[in-house]
Structures are given as C-alpha cells and as structure tokens.
Amino acid sequence: MVKPGTVGELTETLREGGYLADRGLATALFVALSLHRPVLLEGEVGVGKTEVAKVLAAVLGRRLIRLQCYEGIDTSQALYEWDYARQMLHIRALSERQLAGDDAVDKLFGPKFLLERPLLDAVRAGDQAVLLIDEIDRADDEFEAFLLELLSDFQISIPEIGTIKADRPPLVILTSNRTRELHDALKRRCLYHWIGYPAADRETEIVLIREPGVPAALARKVVAAVHRIRQLDLAKPPGVAETIDWARTLDFLGETDLSPDGASDTLGAVVKDRDDLEVVRDNLEEITSGAP
Ligand SMILES: Nc1ncnc2c1ncn2[C@@H]1O[C@H](COP(=O)(O)OP(=O)(O)OP(=O)(O)O)[C@@H](O)[C@H]1O
Ligand SMILES: [Mg+2]
C-alpha cells in the first residue's frame, strides 16, 4: 500500500485492518509517517498500543520489527552481537597455517558472524519496516539514552564493519505503560499521544470488529459492565483486551445476555487480581444492571 494521503484515509485503512483509531491517534500516526518522526504512545494497560503498530505494518505492507524492552536490556540484545559459538567452531576448523594468515581474525568479525538484533535490522530495512519499541518504560536509563541517539540519526557504528545508516528511516512506534516517567529528551524527539479508554460506543465497535460473531446486544451489555467496573477503585482496571475477552467468553458459553450469575462465572476473563475480584463480586448486581 502507498502512503495514505490524509488522516481520514489512514483511519479508513486501519479500520480495514481491524483497528479503530480515533482522530487524535490517526493524526499522530499520519504526521509521524509523513514527517518521519517517532511516535510515543502512552496509555493504560490493554488499550491497543502494541496492536496499532502491528496493524499499521500490515496495512502499509511493511515488515514489523519488534523490540520488547525489559529491565536490564542492553545493546547486545537490541543492536547486534557476535556469534561467539560459531566463531569458536570456525577457529577450530581452521588449520594452524590458516590461523596464522593475516585476515583469519578479521574474517571472524565479518557479516557472517554478526547476529542482527531488532535495531540493526530496522536500520537496514529503513522505510520498509515499522519498528515497534515496546514498553520502553521497562528498560533503564542508559538504554533510553542510547535509544535517543539512535532515533536522532538512524546510524549504527560497528567498529569491525563500519557505519550502517538508514537513508529513509523506518516508522518508529514506542509504547509505555508509564511505570516510570520517561526523559524529556526522548519525549521531545517524539510525537506524543495518550491512548485512554474508548467511549462506550467506540468500545462496542471495537468488540464487534474483533469478534464479529458476538451479538451486538451482548457486546453493548459487556461494554457497559466494563465501564462500571473501571469506575471502581481497582488495582488493575480492565483494558479493551479484557472487554473483548469477556464478550468472546460469554458468547462461547452461549450466553446472549449478561446476568449476575453469568458474569460471576466468567469474571476471570475480565478481572485478573484477587482483591479486585472481591470488590467486583460485591457490586455484581449493579454492574450487570445494563444501565450505561
Ligand atoms: N482501537 C482498537 N481497535 C481494535 N482493536 C483494539 C483496539 N484497542 C484495543 N484493541 C484490542 O485489544 C487488544 C490488546 O491491545 P494491545 O495488546 O495493543 O494493548 P496494549 O495497550 O499494548 O496493552 P499492554 O499495555 O498490556 O501492552 C488487541 O489485541 C486488540 O484486539
Ligand atoms: Mg502492549
């Protein structure tokens, strides 16, 4: 697919890919695509931050390259690494005479023994890729600083090989669940968009686009109930993913309506914390009353 020409066109394309983006999100993505800026998506758990990168890659016909961040991630997991095991095997296979040769060691640090990790892969792929840097808030400060540098020039220097640069950078989507504040410098480099919980109508639409088999009336009931659950003081309020799961579960069990009993039996699809379960159980009548 060629680049969409307007925000509306991008919204439509995403919808065809099964993702409903509101105007704000679609605008951020459109600008990012057009002006080659990274986008930082923050939001609650399970509101479609990761999914939008996947769908965008699919509808644009680009490769999705995903870097999942975690505590302690470093450049050897993110950028590249030398394939130590293969290097050792190679050395063993060489004769003494070959080993003494001038370029034997140089060859050990050539492309053949280089293990590409997602960031190097993305720099090489350039605008043929969507680079998803998922859950950046889990990585530590040093890694964030390193990313900042990469995002500013899309250039990677490997001492033994040389510099690799993307002529046209990939579309970069960073996500964060805000378990910690990100640095201003990183935020400044990115377009920022906060994804909140969708309004009830939109969330119903999302359930139906994802689970077309679920009756619309059941979807509406489930969404209304989830909205009530979110108003309770919970440790882990349910995201859109949970709404979809709950609707799918109820439908699978042949429920066409949301009764307190049916809800109670299937609560595990939507509430995933023991204390939260108790709070929700205490309010089931009201939650399933159907009122929005
Ligand atoms: N706007 C949307 N349109 C279509 N599907 C959506 C939308 N928002 C959420 N979803 C659905 O919710 C699921 C969860 O979304 P996703 O995994 O992207 O959430 P997330 O924000 O990355 O959550 P986490 O913080 O847990 O990583 C997706 O698989 C998708 O089916
Ligand atoms: Mg995610």
Side-chain angles (χ1 to χ4, degrees), residues 18-20 44-51 135 177 206 209-210 240-241 244:
Y19 192 91
L20 295 189
E44 308 290 349
V45 172
V47 290
K49 301 183 294 296
T50 303
E51 184 72 13
E135 306 187 353
N177 282 341
I206 295 174
I209 205 173
R210 286 280 153 179
V240 179
I244 297 171

Side-chain angles (χ1 to χ4, degrees), residues 14-279:
L14 285 170
R15 176 190 285 269
E16 282 161 18
Y19 192 91
L20 295 189
D22 63 20
R23 182 96 192 152
L25 176 58
T27 306
L29 295 172
F30 179 71
V31 174
L33 261 175
S34 313
L35 303 183
H36 308 294
R37 293 277 304 276
V39 199
L40 170 61
L41 300 178
E42 280 195 329
E44 308 290 349
V45 172
V47 290
K49 301 183 294 296
T50 303
E51 184 72 13
V52 72
K54 293 186 189 168
V55 173
L56 200 54
V59 298
L60 293 174
R62 294 186 181 200
R63 191 151 66 88
L64 178 77
I65 300 176
R66 178 175 185 170
L67 177 68
Q68 176 65 51
C69 298
Y70 50 88
E71 209 182 319
I73 187 173
D74 65 20
T75 52
S76 66
Q77 288 119 21
L79 205 52
Y80 69 90
E81 199 171 9
W82 292 107
D83 192 341
Y84 184 66
R86 281 193 69 200
Q87 284 172 327
M88 292 312 285
L89 285 173
H90 187 71
I91 291 173
R92 282 212 204 142
L94 293 178
S95 66
E96 295 238 334
R97 197 170 51 79
Q98 283 170 316
L99 260 177
D102 264 357
D103 58 351
V105 174
D106 288 350
K107 275 195 188 144
L108 282 178
F109 293 94
K112 202 170 147 193
F113 298 100
L114 189 69
L115 289 175
E116 268 190 22
R117 301 294 187 214
L119 294 180
L120 177 56
D121 197 7
V123 166
R124 283 225 165 103
D127 67 357
Q128 299 303 303
V130 171
L131 171 62
L132 167 63
I133 302 176
D134 215 7
E135 306 187 353
I136 169 75
D137 51 327
R138 293 201 195 187
D140 25 47
D141 279 7
E142 299 87 73
F143 189 74
E144 206 183 308
F146 155 77
L147 263 186
L148 189 64
E149 223 180 284
L150 181 89
L151 293 180
S152 61
D153 49 10
F154 281 98
Q155 181 171 308
I156 291 174
S157 288
I158 304 176
E160 297 87 347
I161 290 186
T163 300
I164 299 166
K165 188 171 169 44
D167 291 333
R168 277 178 300 216
L171 173 66
V172 183
I173 298 183
L174 300 109
T175 80
S176 160
N177 282 341
R178 277 194 88 201
T179 54
R180 68 173 174 84
E181 244 341 281
L182 300 178
H183 288 267
D184 283 347
L186 184 78
K187 285 190 175 166
R188 235 178 288 132
R189 192 150 299 287
C190 301
L191 298 162
Y192 178 84
H193 184 77
W194 171 264
I195 306 189
Y197 296 123
D201 284 351
R202 174 170 291 271
E203 193 160 353
T204 307
E205 231 186 311
I206 295 174
V207 172
L208 293 174
I209 205 173
R210 286 280 153 179
E211 291 294 325
V214 172
L218 177 64
R220 267 193 296 276
K221 277 272 180 93
V222 168
V223 167
V226 170
H227 278 236
R228 290 193 156 213
I229 293 176
R230 284 187 193 135
Q231 283 163 14
L232 302 171
D233 189 21
L234 300 186
K236 296 194 171 66
V240 179
E242 280 71 29
T243 315
I244 297 171
D245 248 6
W246 203 13
R248 184 196 294 137
T249 305
L250 287 160
D251 182 49
F252 171 73
L253 295 174
E255 304 276 341
T256 49
D257 198 3
L258 188 64
S259 62
D261 282 347
S264 175
D265 292 345
T266 52
L267 261 192
V270 73
V271 181
K272 317 266 170 98
D273 177 276
R274 186 172 170 271
D275 296 333
D276 288 353
L277 271 175
E278 273 177 36
V279 179

